[in-house]
Amino acid sequence: MFVLIILISYFAILYTYSYFHGAKNSNETFFRGDRNSPWYLVAFGMIGASLSGITFVSVPGMVMWSDMTYLQTCLGYILGYFIVAFVLLPIFYKNNLTTIYSFLKIRLGDTSYKTGALFFLISKLIGAAARFYVVCLILDRFVFQEFNIPFFVTVPFLMTLIWLYTRNGGIRTLVHTDVIQTFFMLLSLGVILYGVMDVLDFSVMDAYREVVASEHSRIFEFSDLKSPQNFFKQLISGAFIVVVMTGLDQDMMQKNLTCKTLHEAKKDMCTYAFAFTPVNMLFMVLGILLICAFTSKGIAIPEKFDSLLIEAISNGTLGLGAKIFFVIGIVSAAFSSADSSLTALTTTYCVDIKEKSSDVRLRKNTHAMMAVLFSLAVLIFNYFNSTSLIDAIFILCGYTYGPLLGLFTFAIFGRRAVADRFTPYVAMLSPVACFVISQLTLKLFGYKFGYELLLLNGALTFAGLYVFSTQKKSVSVEG
């Protein structure tokens, strides 16, 4: 009961805060935040927006099989954020875009524009719903099962909460509520870390020495080029992951486009770039300390790496306080991710698909419709109740971001005019060809693609667009 009260109180804080920061109820406020957001609030809130509930659970357990090598990818993220700040943001601001996919219309044509927007809508709806589904399962286990509340009630209830505090202010609301959610997420991480150190009777210096001495403290992998943990592969892949899944994702870019000026947007992105890596490092430190706690208590370490933190909370190793803050942390990360996805989906449908950016009624109806579709997708995932299905969905969504990389790369750096009507076929065939190549490479050469699969996918899309293009130069729209 106490945990449920905490959850309801948390939502009450969000709703009250959103009421005073989103009362205008206009499309300019909902889509663009009146282009008046303080850059430092956007930067801080982006930490929570980038860390979904799955990240909160999974990253501590990653050290069980890959040590701390994920930090190599995080270093690549820093490079990626600088590319977004100094290459993409100037273009988006120069063209005064509400959605980033509008740039494809300016440079490539209407069909390419719709293709990019549709790829985002489909992949974001399915991917975000899959992530939210995993979090709903966790909340169902730790909160709602105690009251015999069925899952098909839990999901619409949580989505209704998100819909309520985003329905009027949209992105303007999220810039402010993300600050709250990031604060609670970081507070939860700190409390759980303290709980583990208390169980181990460690001081901060004891914890530091334990982490440094651990066999899981390895960060860099230079020796094996075939390994997915190879430094150069992770560094380059990390940079392109950010370029695609932040810079070419309306969900992640919409908040950044609410800053007053391009200069402030750059400051926001660069500040956030350096904040993201230390936060992920703390999650991995938590993982190493949890392994140490399990070992010292004689508790079997779970086989599945993403069960490490959940198991520590479930078996009471860390106590009630850690359980409460675990729920708060999960909710903070999940809500921050799902609410921005819901807002971005609404924006893209209204602005890009319907091209009615000033229609308030359409925006309200679309926002409600997306919340319903979100809930239905989660319930469908639960109906099949298959971990392999969820894994397949994440892989599929990863493939759908490749064509966006190819489209934007061609639009920004290409100097040829694309045959616009062929773009949908290129965008659909590229992921298929990418999958075939990855399977053949694994079978013939034993090389398994990791994150660099995104680069191959984008390259195939770029090549396809080049084939269906002419020498005619289009108008330059570079920033």
Side-chain angles (χ1 to χ4, degrees), residues 172-245:
R172 176 180 168 87
T173 293
L174 299 188
V175 167
H176 292 86
T177 56
D178 276 357
V179 172
I180 297 175
Q181 304 202 91
T182 299
F183 170 77
F184 277 111
M185 188 199 70
L186 296 178
L187 176 64
S188 300
L189 174 59
V191 170
I192 295 172
L193 273 169
Y194 177 82
V196 179
M197 288 191 292
D198 186 57
V199 167
L200 293 169
D201 196 25
F202 277 1
S203 66
V204 173
M205 286 306 300
D206 290 333
Y208 170 78
R209 284 190 286 267
E210 179 65 31
V211 170
V212 171
S214 172
E215 63 178 343
H216 296 292
S217 63
R218 177 179 64 104
I219 297 176
F220 298 105
E221 170 60 68
F222 293 102
S223 58
D224 187 2
L225 289 176
K226 290 185 177 181
S227 171
Q229 279 74 52
N230 178 266
F231 172 78
F232 298 103
K233 290 168 68 174
Q234 291 223 351
L235 184 74
I236 295 171
S237 298
F240 277 92
I241 286 170
V242 166
V243 170
V244 176
M245 297 191 174

Coordinates of all heavy atoms in Angstrom, one line a residue, residues 172-245:
R172 N 6.2 21.7 -24.0 CA 6.5 22.7 -22.9 C 6.4 22.0 -21.5 O 7.2 22.3 -20.7 CB 5.6 23.9 -23.1 CG 5.8 24.9 -22.0 CD 4.8 26.1 -22.1 NE 4.8 26.9 -21.0 CZ 5.6 28.0 -20.8 NH1 6.5 28.2 -21.7 NH2 5.5 28.7 -19.7
T173 N 5.4 21.2 -21.3 CA 5.2 20.5 -20.1 C 6.4 19.6 -19.8 O 7.0 19.5 -18.7 CB 3.9 19.7 -20.1 OG1 2.8 20.6 -20.1 CG2 3.8 18.8 -18.8
L174 N 6.8 18.8 -20.9 CA 7.8 17.8 -20.7 C 9.2 18.4 -20.3 O 10.0 17.8 -19.6 CB 7.9 17.0 -22.0 CG 6.7 16.2 -22.4 CD1 7.0 15.2 -23.5 CD2 6.1 15.4 -21.2
V175 N 9.5 19.6 -20.9 CA 10.8 20.2 -20.6 C 10.9 20.4 -19.1 O 12.0 20.2 -18.5 CB 10.9 21.6 -21.3 CG1 12.0 22.4 -20.7 CG2 11.1 21.3 -22.8
H176 N 9.8 20.7 -18.4 CA 9.8 21.0 -17.0 C 9.6 19.7 -16.2 O 10.3 19.5 -15.2 CB 8.7 22.0 -16.6 CG 8.9 23.4 -17.1 ND1 8.5 23.8 -18.4 CD2 9.5 24.4 -16.6 CE1 8.9 25.0 -18.6 NE2 9.5 25.4 -17.5
T177 N 8.7 18.8 -16.6 CA 8.5 17.6 -15.8 C 9.7 16.6 -15.9 O 10.0 15.9 -15.0 CB 7.2 16.8 -16.3 OG1 7.3 16.6 -17.7 CG2 6.0 17.7 -15.9
D178 N 10.4 16.7 -17.0 CA 11.6 15.9 -17.2 C 12.7 16.3 -16.1 O 13.5 15.4 -15.7 CB 12.2 16.1 -18.6 CG 11.5 15.2 -19.6 OD1 10.7 14.4 -19.2 OD2 11.9 15.2 -20.8
V179 N 12.7 17.5 -15.7 CA 13.6 18.0 -14.7 C 13.3 17.2 -13.4 O 14.2 16.7 -12.7 CB 13.5 19.5 -14.5 CG1 14.3 19.9 -13.2 CG2 14.0 20.2 -15.7
I180 N 12.0 17.2 -13.1 CA 11.5 16.5 -11.9 C 11.9 15.0 -12.0 O 12.4 14.4 -11.0 CB 10.0 16.6 -11.6 CG1 9.7 18.1 -11.4 CG2 9.5 15.8 -10.5 CD1 8.2 18.4 -11.3
Q181 N 11.6 14.4 -13.1 CA 11.8 13.0 -13.3 C 13.3 12.6 -13.3 O 13.7 11.5 -12.7 CB 11.1 12.5 -14.6 CG 9.6 12.9 -14.5 CD 8.7 12.0 -15.5 OE1 8.2 11.0 -15.0 NE2 8.6 12.5 -16.7
T182 N 14.1 13.4 -13.9 CA 15.5 13.2 -13.9 C 16.1 13.2 -12.4 O 16.9 12.4 -12.0 CB 16.3 14.1 -14.8 OG1 15.8 14.0 -16.1 CG2 17.8 13.9 -14.7
F183 N 15.6 14.2 -11.7 CA 16.0 14.4 -10.3 C 15.7 13.1 -9.5 O 16.5 12.6 -8.7 CB 15.3 15.6 -9.7 CG 15.5 15.7 -8.2 CD1 16.7 16.1 -7.6 CD2 14.5 15.3 -7.3 CE1 16.9 16.2 -6.2 CE2 14.7 15.4 -5.9 CZ 15.9 15.8 -5.4
F184 N 14.4 12.7 -9.6 CA 14.0 11.5 -8.8 C 14.7 10.2 -9.3 O 15.0 9.3 -8.5 CB 12.5 11.3 -8.9 CG 11.7 12.1 -8.0 CD1 10.9 13.2 -8.4 CD2 11.8 11.9 -6.6 CE1 10.2 14.0 -7.5 CE2 11.1 12.7 -5.7 CZ 10.3 13.7 -6.2
M185 N 15.0 10.1 -10.6 CA 15.7 9.0 -11.1 C 17.2 8.9 -10.5 O 17.6 7.9 -10.1 CB 15.8 9.0 -12.6 CG 16.4 7.8 -13.2 SD 16.9 8.0 -14.9 CE 18.4 9.1 -14.6
L186 N 17.8 10.1 -10.5 CA 19.2 10.2 -10.0 C 19.2 10.0 -8.5 O 20.1 9.3 -7.9 CB 19.8 11.5 -10.3 CG 20.1 11.7 -11.8 CD1 20.7 13.1 -12.1 CD2 21.0 10.7 -12.4
L187 N 18.1 10.5 -7.8 CA 18.0 10.3 -6.4 C 17.8 8.8 -6.1 O 18.4 8.3 -5.1 CB 16.8 11.1 -5.8 CG 16.5 10.9 -4.3 CD1 17.6 11.4 -3.5 CD2 15.2 11.7 -4.0
S188 N 17.0 8.1 -6.8 CA 16.8 6.7 -6.7 C 18.0 5.9 -6.9 O 18.3 5.0 -6.1 CB 15.7 6.2 -7.6 OG 14.5 6.9 -7.4
L189 N 18.8 6.3 -7.9 CA 20.1 5.6 -8.1 C 21.0 5.8 -6.9 O 21.7 4.8 -6.5 CB 20.7 6.2 -9.4 CG 22.1 5.7 -9.7 CD1 22.2 4.2 -9.9 CD2 22.6 6.4 -11.0
G190 N 21.1 7.0 -6.4 CA 21.9 7.3 -5.2 C 21.5 6.5 -4.0 O 22.3 5.9 -3.3
V191 N 20.2 6.4 -3.8 CA 19.7 5.7 -2.6 C 20.0 4.2 -2.7 O 20.4 3.5 -1.7 CB 18.2 5.9 -2.4 CG1 17.6 5.0 -1.4 CG2 17.9 7.4 -2.0
I192 N 19.8 3.6 -3.9 CA 20.0 2.2 -4.1 C 21.5 1.9 -4.0 O 21.9 0.9 -3.4 CB 19.5 1.8 -5.5 CG1 18.0 1.9 -5.5 CG2 19.9 0.3 -5.8 CD1 17.4 1.6 -6.9
L193 N 22.4 2.8 -4.5 CA 23.8 2.6 -4.3 C 24.2 2.7 -2.8 O 25.0 1.8 -2.4 CB 24.6 3.8 -5.1 CG 24.9 3.5 -6.5 CD1 25.4 4.8 -7.2 CD2 26.0 2.4 -6.7
Y194 N 23.6 3.6 -2.1 CA 23.9 3.7 -0.7 C 23.4 2.4 0.0 O 24.1 1.9 0.9 CB 23.1 4.9 -0.1 CG 23.3 5.0 1.4 CD1 24.4 5.5 2.0 CD2 22.3 4.5 2.3 CE1 24.6 5.6 3.4 CE2 22.4 4.6 3.6 CZ 23.5 5.2 4.2 OH 23.7 5.2 5.6
G195 N 22.2 1.9 -0.4 CA 21.7 0.6 0.2 C 22.6 -0.5 0.0 O 22.8 -1.3 0.9
V196 N 23.2 -0.6 -1.2 CA 24.2 -1.7 -1.5 C 25.4 -1.6 -0.6 O 25.9 -2.6 0.0 CB 24.5 -1.8 -3.0 CG1 25.5 -2.9 -3.2 CG2 23.3 -2.0 -3.8
M197 N 25.9 -0.4 -0.5 CA 27.1 -0.1 0.3 C 26.9 -0.4 1.7 O 27.7 -0.9 2.5 CB 27.6 1.3 0.1 CG 28.3 1.6 -1.3 SD 29.1 3.1 -1.4 CE 27.8 4.3 -1.3
D198 N 25.6 -0.1 2.2 CA 25.3 -0.4 3.6 C 25.2 -1.9 3.9 O 25.7 -2.3 4.9 CB 23.9 0.3 3.9 CG 23.5 0.1 5.3 OD1 24.3 0.6 6.2 OD2 22.4 -0.4 5.6
V199 N 24.7 -2.6 2.9 CA 24.7 -4.1 3.1 C 26.1 -4.6 3.1 O 26.4 -5.6 3.9 CB 23.9 -4.7 1.9 CG1 24.1 -6.2 1.8 CG2 22.4 -4.4 2.0
L200 N 27.0 -4.1 2.3 CA 28.4 -4.5 2.3 C 29.2 -3.9 3.4 O 30.4 -4.3 3.6 CB 29.0 -4.2 1.0 CG 28.4 -4.9 -0.3 CD1 28.9 -4.3 -1.6 CD2 28.8 -6.4 -0.2
D201 N 28.6 -2.9 4.1 CA 29.3 -2.2 5.2 C 30.6 -1.5 4.6 O 31.7 -1.5 5.1 CB 29.8 -3.1 6.3 CG 30.2 -2.3 7.6 OD1 29.7 -1.2 7.7 OD2 30.9 -2.8 8.4
F202 N 30.3 -0.9 3.4 CA 31.4 -0.2 2.7 C 31.3 1.3 2.9 O 30.2 1.9 2.9 CB 31.3 -0.4 1.2 CG 31.9 -1.7 0.7 CD1 32.5 -2.6 1.6 CD2 31.9 -2.1 -0.6 CE1 33.1 -3.8 1.2 CE2 32.4 -3.3 -1.1 CZ 33.0 -4.1 -0.2
S203 N 32.4 2.0 2.9 CA 32.4 3.4 2.8 C 32.6 3.7 1.2 O 32.7 2.8 0.4 CB 33.7 4.0 3.5 OG 34.9 3.6 2.9
V204 N 32.6 5.0 0.9 CA 32.7 5.3 -0.5 C 34.1 4.8 -1.1 O 34.2 4.3 -2.2 CB 32.6 6.8 -0.8 CG1 32.9 7.2 -2.2 CG2 31.2 7.3 -0.4
M205 N 35.1 5.0 -0.3 CA 36.4 4.6 -0.7 C 36.5 3.0 -0.8 O 37.2 2.5 -1.6 CB 37.5 5.1 0.3 CG 37.8 6.6 0.1 SD 38.2 7.0 -1.6 CE 39.7 6.0 -1.9
D206 N 35.8 2.3 0.2 CA 35.8 0.9 0.1 C 35.1 0.4 -1.2 O 35.6 -0.5 -1.9 CB 35.0 0.3 1.3 CG 35.7 0.5 2.6 OD1 36.9 0.5 2.6 OD2 35.0 0.6 3.6
A207 N 34.0 1.1 -1.6 CA 33.3 0.8 -2.8 C 34.2 1.0 -4.0 O 34.2 0.2 -5.0 CB 32.0 1.6 -2.9
Y208 N 34.9 2.1 -4.0 CA 35.8 2.5 -5.1 C 36.9 1.4 -5.3 O 37.1 0.9 -6.4 CB 36.5 3.8 -4.8 CG 37.6 4.2 -5.8 CD1 37.3 4.6 -7.1 CD2 38.9 4.0 -5.4 CE1 38.4 4.9 -7.9 CE2 40.0 4.3 -6.2 CZ 39.7 4.7 -7.5 OH 40.7 5.0 -8.4
R209 N 37.5 1.0 -4.1 CA 38.5 -0.1 -4.2 C 38.0 -1.4 -4.7 O 38.6 -2.1 -5.5 CB 39.2 -0.2 -2.8 CG 40.2 0.9 -2.5 CD 41.0 0.6 -1.2 NE 40.1 0.7 0.0 CZ 40.0 1.8 0.7 NH1 40.7 2.9 0.4 NH2 39.3 1.8 1.8
E210 N 36.7 -1.7 -4.3 CA 36.1 -3.0 -4.7 C 35.8 -3.0 -6.2 O 36.1 -4.0 -6.9 CB 34.8 -3.2 -4.0 CG 34.0 -4.4 -4.3 CD 34.7 -5.7 -4.0 OE1 35.5 -5.7 -3.0 OE2 34.6 -6.7 -4.7
V211 N 35.4 -1.8 -6.7 CA 35.1 -1.7 -8.1 C 36.4 -1.8 -9.0 O 36.4 -2.6 -10.0 CB 34.3 -0.4 -8.5 CG1 34.2 -0.2 -10.0 CG2 32.9 -0.4 -7.8
V212 N 37.4 -1.1 -8.5 CA 38.7 -1.1 -9.3 C 39.3 -2.5 -9.3 O 39.9 -3.0 -10.3 CB 39.7 -0.1 -8.6 CG1 41.1 -0.3 -9.2 CG2 39.2 1.3 -8.9
A213 N 39.2 -3.3 -8.2 CA 39.8 -4.6 -8.0 C 38.9 -5.7 -8.7 O 39.4 -6.8 -9.0 CB 39.9 -4.9 -6.6
S214 N 37.7 -5.4 -9.1 CA 36.8 -6.4 -9.6 C 37.2 -6.8 -11.0 O 37.8 -6.1 -11.8 CB 35.4 -5.8 -9.7 OG 34.5 -6.7 -10.4
E215 N 37.0 -8.1 -11.3 CA 37.3 -8.6 -12.6 C 36.4 -8.0 -13.7 O 36.6 -8.2 -14.9 CB 37.1 -10.2 -12.6 CG 35.7 -10.6 -12.3 CD 35.6 -12.1 -12.3 OE1 36.5 -12.8 -12.9 OE2 34.6 -12.7 -11.8
H216 N 35.3 -7.4 -13.2 CA 34.3 -6.8 -14.1 C 34.6 -5.3 -14.4 O 33.8 -4.7 -15.0 CB 32.9 -7.0 -13.6 CG 32.4 -8.4 -13.5 ND1 32.2 -9.2 -14.6 CD2 32.2 -9.1 -12.4 CE1 31.8 -10.4 -14.2 NE2 31.8 -10.4 -12.8
S217 N 35.7 -4.8 -13.9 CA 36.0 -3.4 -14.1 C 36.7 -3.1 -15.4 O 37.0 -1.9 -15.7 CB 36.9 -2.9 -12.9 OG 38.1 -3.5 -12.9
R218 N 36.9 -4.1 -16.2 CA 37.5 -3.9 -17.5 C 36.7 -2.9 -18.4 O 35.5 -3.1 -18.5 CB 37.7 -5.2 -18.3 CG 38.3 -5.1 -19.7 CD 38.4 -6.5 -20.3 NE 37.1 -7.1 -20.4 CZ 36.5 -7.3 -21.6 NH1 37.0 -6.8 -22.7 NH2 35.3 -7.8 -21.6
I219 N 37.3 -1.9 -18.9 CA 36.6 -0.9 -19.8 C 36.9 -1.1 -21.2 O 36.0 -1.1 -22.1 CB 36.8 0.5 -19.3 CG1 36.4 0.7 -17.9 CG2 36.2 1.5 -20.2 CD1 36.7 2.1 -17.3
F220 N 38.2 -1.2 -21.6 CA 38.6 -1.1 -22.9 C 39.0 -2.5 -23.5 O 39.5 -3.4 -22.8 CB 39.9 -0.2 -23.1 CG 39.6 1.2 -22.7 CD1 40.0 1.7 -21.5 CD2 38.8 2.0 -23.5 CE1 39.8 3.0 -21.1 CE2 38.5 3.3 -23.1 CZ 39.0 3.8 -21.9
E221 N 38.6 -2.7 -24.7 CA 38.8 -4.0 -25.5 C 39.5 -3.6 -26.8 O 38.8 -3.1 -27.7 CB 37.6 -4.8 -25.6 CG 37.7 -6.0 -26.6 CD 38.7 -7.0 -26.1 OE1 38.5 -7.6 -25.0 OE2 39.7 -7.1 -26.7
F222 N 40.8 -3.9 -26.9 CA 41.5 -3.5 -28.2 C 41.9 -4.7 -29.0 O 42.2 -4.7 -30.2 CB 42.7 -2.7 -27.9 CG 42.4 -1.3 -27.3 CD1 42.6 -1.1 -26.0 CD2 42.0 -0.3 -28.2 CE1 42.3 0.2 -25.5 CE2 41.7 1.0 -27.7 CZ 41.9 1.2 -26.3
S223 N 42.0 -5.9 -28.3 CA 42.6 -7.1 -28.9 C 41.8 -7.8 -30.0 O 42.4 -8.1 -31.0 CB 43.0 -8.1 -27.8 OG 41.8 -8.5 -27.1
D224 N 40.5 -8.0 -29.8 CA 39.7 -8.8 -30.7 C 38.8 -7.9 -31.6 O 37.8 -7.4 -31.1 CB 38.8 -9.8 -29.8 CG 38.1 -10.8 -30.7 OD1 38.3 -10.7 -31.9 OD2 37.3 -11.6 -30.1
L225 N 39.2 -7.9 -32.9 CA 38.4 -7.0 -33.8 C 37.1 -7.6 -34.1 O 36.1 -6.9 -34.5 CB 39.2 -6.9 -35.1 CG 40.5 -6.0 -35.1 CD1 41.2 -6.0 -36.4 CD2 40.1 -4.6 -34.7
K226 N 36.9 -8.9 -33.9 CA 35.6 -9.6 -34.1 C 34.7 -9.4 -33.0 O 33.4 -9.6 -33.1 CB 35.8 -11.1 -34.4 CG 36.5 -11.4 -35.7 CD 36.5 -12.9 -36.0 CE 37.1 -13.2 -37.3 NZ 37.1 -14.7 -37.6
S227 N 35.2 -9.0 -31.8 CA 34.3 -8.9 -30.7 C 33.4 -7.7 -30.8 O 33.8 -6.6 -31.2 CB 35.2 -8.7 -29.4 OG 34.4 -8.4 -28.3
P228 N 32.1 -7.9 -30.4 CA 31.2 -6.7 -30.4 C 31.7 -5.6 -29.4 O 31.2 -4.5 -29.5 CB 29.9 -7.3 -29.9 CG 30.0 -8.8 -30.2 CD 31.4 -9.1 -30.0
Q229 N 32.5 -6.0 -28.4 CA 33.0 -5.1 -27.4 C 34.3 -4.4 -27.9 O 34.9 -3.6 -27.1 CB 33.3 -5.8 -26.1 CG 32.1 -6.0 -25.2 CD 31.2 -7.1 -25.8 OE1 31.7 -8.2 -26.0 NE2 29.9 -6.8 -26.0
N230 N 34.8 -4.6 -29.1 CA 36.0 -3.9 -29.6 C 35.8 -2.4 -29.5 O 34.8 -1.8 -29.8 CB 36.3 -4.3 -31.0 CG 37.5 -3.6 -31.6 OD1 37.4 -2.6 -32.2 ND2 38.7 -4.2 -31.3
F231 N 36.9 -1.7 -29.0 CA 36.9 -0.3 -28.7 C 36.4 0.5 -29.9 O 35.5 1.4 -29.8 CB 38.2 0.2 -28.2 CG 38.3 1.7 -28.1 CD1 37.8 2.3 -27.0 CD2 39.0 2.4 -29.0 CE1 37.8 3.7 -26.9 CE2 39.1 3.8 -28.9 CZ 38.5 4.5 -27.8
F232 N 37.1 0.3 -31.0 CA 36.8 1.1 -32.2 C 35.4 0.9 -32.7 O 34.7 1.9 -33.2 CB 37.9 0.8 -33.3 CG 39.3 1.2 -32.9 CD1 40.1 0.2 -32.5 CD2 39.7 2.5 -32.8 CE1 41.4 0.5 -32.1 CE2 41.0 2.8 -32.4 CZ 41.8 1.8 -32.0
K233 N 34.9 -0.3 -32.7 CA 33.6 -0.6 -33.1 C 32.6 0.1 -32.2 O 31.6 0.7 -32.7 CB 33.3 -2.1 -33.1 CG 34.1 -2.9 -34.2 CD 34.0 -4.4 -34.1 CE 32.6 -4.9 -34.3 NZ 32.6 -6.4 -34.2
Q234 N 32.8 0.0 -30.9 CA 31.8 0.6 -30.0 C 31.9 2.1 -30.0 O 30.9 2.8 -29.9 CB 32.1 0.1 -28.6 CG 31.8 -1.4 -28.4 CD 31.1 -1.6 -27.0 OE1 31.0 -0.8 -26.2 NE2 30.6 -2.8 -26.9
L235 N 33.1 2.7 -30.2 CA 33.2 4.1 -30.3 C 32.5 4.7 -31.5 O 31.7 5.6 -31.4 CB 34.7 4.5 -30.3 CG 35.0 6.0 -30.3 CD1 34.8 6.6 -28.9 CD2 36.4 6.3 -30.7
I236 N 32.8 4.1 -32.6 CA 32.1 4.6 -33.9 C 30.7 4.4 -33.9 O 29.8 5.2 -34.2 CB 32.8 4.0 -35.1 CG1 34.3 4.4 -35.2 CG2 32.1 4.4 -36.4 CD1 35.1 3.7 -36.2
S237 N 30.3 3.2 -33.4 CA 28.9 2.8 -33.4 C 28.1 3.7 -32.4 O 27.0 4.2 -32.7 CB 28.7 1.4 -32.9 OG 29.3 0.5 -33.9
G238 N 28.8 4.0 -31.2 CA 28.1 4.9 -30.3 C 27.8 6.3 -30.8 O 26.8 6.9 -30.6
A239 N 28.8 6.8 -31.6 CA 28.6 8.1 -32.3 C 27.4 8.1 -33.2 O 26.6 9.0 -33.2 CB 29.9 8.5 -33.0
F240 N 27.3 7.0 -34.0 CA 26.2 7.0 -35.0 C 24.9 6.6 -34.4 O 23.8 7.0 -34.9 CB 26.6 6.0 -36.1 CG 27.4 6.6 -37.2 CD1 28.8 6.5 -37.1 CD2 26.9 7.3 -38.3 CE1 29.6 7.1 -38.1 CE2 27.7 7.8 -39.2 CZ 29.0 7.7 -39.1
I241 N 24.9 5.9 -33.3 CA 23.7 5.6 -32.5 C 23.1 6.9 -32.1 O 21.9 7.1 -32.2 CB 23.9 4.7 -31.3 CG1 24.2 3.3 -31.8 CG2 22.8 4.7 -30.3 CD1 24.7 2.3 -30.7
V242 N 23.9 7.8 -31.5 CA 23.4 9.1 -31.1 C 22.9 9.9 -32.3 O 21.8 10.6 -32.2 CB 24.5 9.9 -30.3 CG1 24.1 11.4 -30.2 CG2 24.7 9.3 -29.0
V243 N 23.7 10.0 -33.4 CA 23.3 10.7 -34.6 C 21.9 10.3 -35.0 O 21.0 11.1 -35.4 CB 24.3 10.6 -35.7 CG1 23.8 11.2 -37.0 CG2 25.6 11.3 -35.3
V244 N 21.7 9.0 -35.1 CA 20.4 8.5 -35.6 C 19.3 8.5 -34.6 O 18.2 9.0 -34.8 CB 20.6 7.0 -36.1 CG1 19.3 6.4 -36.6 CG2 21.6 7.0 -37.3
M245 N 19.6 8.0 -33.4 CA 18.5 7.8 -32.4 C 18.3 9.0 -31.5 O 17.4 9.0 -30.7 CB 18.8 6.5 -31.6 CG 18.7 5.3 -32.4 SD 18.7 3.8 -31.4 CE 18.5 2.5 -32.7

